[in-house]
Amino acid sequence: GAVVSQHPSWVICKSGTSVKIECRSLDFQATTMFWYRQFPKQSLMLMATSNEGSKATYEQGVEKDKFLINHASLTLSTLTVTSAHPEDSSFYICSATTGGFAPEQYFGPGTRLTVT
Amino acid sequence: GNSVTQMEGPVTLSEEAFLTINCTYTATGYPSLFWYVQYPGEGLQLLLKATKADDKGSNKGFEATYRKETTSFHLEKGSVQVSDSAVYFCALHGSGNTGKLIFGQGTTLQVKP
C-alpha cells in the first residue's frame, strides 16, 4: 500500500528557532500534499495544500510567512515553522494524494513539535 | 459550506459489544465519504469509504452506508475488540477536484475487556 513517512517523529526546540519537518511519499508519486495541525483531543485542521512545483495554498488564518511549505518533488514536501513559539507546539500531520476522482489521502505518522 | 458532524465521545464499550458512531454531513452536490481511524500517537489510516449514495463501505468488520436521504454515514461494527480502541474521524470530499477533506471532530472509542 501507499506509505507516507514524516521526519522527525518528534522534535523539541527553543523559542525563536526554526524547525523543518519532511513529508515523503515512499512508493508513489504525490501530485498533492496536505499539511494539518492537530491539537490534543481535537480534529485535524488543514493548514495548507501543496502541489509539486507551485506555491502552497494556505487556509484562512494560517500565516504563510510563519509556516513555510516547499514541495520540490513529487515525493517530498517540507514544512518549516519559523521563529517558533510555545503556541506553535502541536502535532503536525501530512498527507499525500495521487489525485483523480475521490482521491484517497495517505497520512504520515505525524510529528510532535514542542517549543520551549 | 461543507461540514461533518460526529457524535461526541468518548464512547466506552465492553468487548464484543455492538458499535455505532453517528456521522452526518452537509454538502452540495455528491460528496465522497470516508471513515479514518487514528491509534494513539499515530497518523490517520483510511478505514473505509463510499463514493455514491447507497454504497456500503466495509473493512475489518466495520461498515458504513452512504445515506443521501438522511445525509448520514454512520459507522457500525457488530463486535468490538480492545484493539479497536482509537479515535474515529468521519470525513467528506466535496464535489470538485480540490482533494481537500473536511473532517468531523473525531470520536474516541474505548473498549474494555
Side-chain angles (χ1 to χ4, degrees), chain A residues 32 34 36 38 41-44 46 49 59 91 93 99-110, chain B residues 30 32 34 36 38 41-46 49 51 87 89 93 97-101 103-106:
Chain A
T32 305
F34 301 87
Y36 297 87
Q38 186 180 32
K41 299 187 178 181
Q42 293 189 26
S43 189
L44 281 73
L46 179 65
T49 302
E59 295 298 302
F91 195 52
I93 303 175
F101 177 72
E104 184 172 328
Q105 287 191 25
Y106 303 95
F107 285 80
Chain B
Y30 302 92
S32 296
F34 304 82
Y36 283 87
Q38 185 179 31
E42 299 183 11
L44 274 68
Q45 301 174 26
L46 178 65
K49 70 178 182 181
T51 58
V87 182
F89 292 95
H93 173 256
N97 200 22
T98 67
K100 287 184 186 180
L101 286 174
F103 285 92
Q105 63 268 44

Side-chain angles (χ1 to χ4, degrees), chain A residues 27-74:
Chain A
D27 49 4
F28 68 100
Q29 292 187 326
T31 55
T32 305
M33 289 184 169
F34 301 87
W35 287 96
Y36 297 87
R37 185 172 178 178
Q38 186 180 32
F39 294 98
K41 299 187 178 181
Q42 293 189 26
S43 189
L44 281 73
M45 181 191 80
L46 179 65
M47 299 175 67
T49 302
S50 170
N51 291 296
E52 184 263 341
S54 60
K55 289 184 178 180
T57 302
Y58 290 81
E59 295 298 302
Q60 194 171 10
V62 177
E63 298 176 62
K64 59 181 67 176
D65 294 331
K66 180 166 189 62
F67 298 100
L68 300 179
I69 293 172
N70 183 276
H71 194 157
S73 76
L74 285 171

Side-chain angles (χ1 to χ4, degrees), chain B residues 18-40:
Chain B
F18 183 86
L19 168 72
T20 299
I21 300 178
N22 290 339
C23 171
T24 57
Y25 68 89
T26 302
T28 55
Y30 302 92
S32 296
L33 301 172
F34 304 82
W35 276 101
Y36 283 87
V37 58
Q38 185 179 31
Y39 297 102

